[in-house]
Amino acid sequence: MPGGFSNNEGTALRARDGAFKVFVVSNTIAMCSSLVVVFCFLWAWKDPMTFMLLQLAWGHQLTVIACLAMLVSLMTAVYVVVAEKCFWLAVTVILICCGAPVVVCAILGWDVAFLPLGPFTN
């Protein structure tokens, strides 16, 4: 638990911090969207001959969302734990995480967030 856990009260020590709340929400979004992607792709193999392009598109979009949510989760977890003692380190991690999507888009193109179905859609 970022920031620690109280064994006496059974709660997170930083539960009232804004950064901790952002961590919890982004971590939940990352986990849930990742699970939905797994089930989309597992369900698609039930009948691979009629694999739905819609399932592929949903899986792609949710994978992008999950990756971005994981970055936010990492940034906020590091901020909660490290910022009080070593602010420059927290800022460095945040800058690196903010740069990651830019690097991905620079390598793969800015339309990486969208799955072009092109001639396959009616």
Side-chain angles (χ1 to χ4, degrees):
M1 186 68 55
F5 186 80
S6 171
N7 289 328
N8 297 336
E9 297 175 19
T11 59
L13 295 176
R14 298 289 187 102
R16 294 181 190 264
D17 290 356
F20 183 82
K21 292 174 183 175
V22 172
F23 162 77
V24 170
V25 171
S26 62
N27 202 31
T28 302
I29 290 170
M31 184 64 191
C32 291
S33 57
S34 296
L35 283 172
V36 172
V37 168
V38 168
F39 281 106
C40 279
F41 292 143
L42 287 176
W43 191 259
W45 286 108
K46 179 181 175 190
D47 188 6
M49 298 306 288
T50 60
F51 179 68
M52 304 289 273
L53 289 175
L54 185 60
Q55 287 174 315
L56 179 63
W58 271 106
H60 179 84
Q61 292 296 325
L62 289 171
T63 300
V64 171
I65 291 169
C67 289
L68 293 173
M70 284 188 297
L71 281 172
V72 172
S73 182
L74 173 69
M75 287 187 286
T76 54
V78 169
Y79 182 83
V80 166
V81 174
V82 175
E84 282 185 20
K85 299 287 183 183
C86 192
F87 187 73
W88 71 267
L89 183 59
V91 171
T92 302
V93 169
I94 289 170
L95 291 174
I96 291 169
C97 288
C98 288
V102 175
V103 171
V104 168
C105 289
I107 293 170
L108 300 177
W110 289 102
D111 59 345
V112 71
F114 304 101
L115 183 65
L117 296 178
F120 299 112
T121 57
N122 291 329

